[in-house]
Amino acid sequence: MERQIKLIWDFRGPAALKTAEHHVKHLNEFIISEKTALSITGFKEINDMYSIAFMVVEEREMITVRDLLKPHRGEVYTP
């Protein structure tokens, strides 16, 4: 099984949660249009001023997706 990479976008400020939630809609649109191998996305509120949006990709797709979508960071994903 190929490693999976979680690409993460950080959002800060009072609208962070809503922004992260909205960003996931665009990530889902990207998954459909680009036919990526995985369709794992989500958002998480870290605190009232910091939230993240994320997308999980196969390691072989990571460079291409990273260059197109410019995530702030990434980490190995373990379900």
Side-chain angles (χ1 to χ4, degrees):
M1 179 180 205
E2 188 174 357
R3 277 196 326 177
Q4 298 175 340
I5 308 297
K6 182 178 182 179
L7 302 175
I8 302 167
W9 290 262
D10 300 296
F11 300 99
R12 300 181 190 281
L17 180 59
K18 287 289 188 191
T19 305
E21 185 177 3
H22 180 77
H23 193 70
V24 169
K25 293 177 184 179
H26 294 293
L27 295 176
N28 288 327
E29 291 169 354
F30 178 84
I31 287 169
I32 292 166
S33 70
E34 298 298 318
K35 298 176 178 58
T36 61
L38 301 173
S39 59
I40 302 169
T41 60
F43 62 94
K44 181 178 178 183
E45 182 177 36
I46 308 302
N47 63 48
D48 62 342
M49 296 290 280
Y50 176 47
S51 294
I52 64 168
F54 64 87
M55 173 183 183
V56 179
V57 297
E58 296 282 343
E59 188 170 26
R60 63 184 154 76
E61 298 176 308
M62 190 274 296
I63 299 294
T64 302
V65 174
R66 181 201 67 193
D67 290 350
L68 288 169
L69 299 182
K70 311 271 192 270
H72 298 125
R73 56 196 173 95
E75 61 189 37
V76 174
Y77 177 72
T78 49

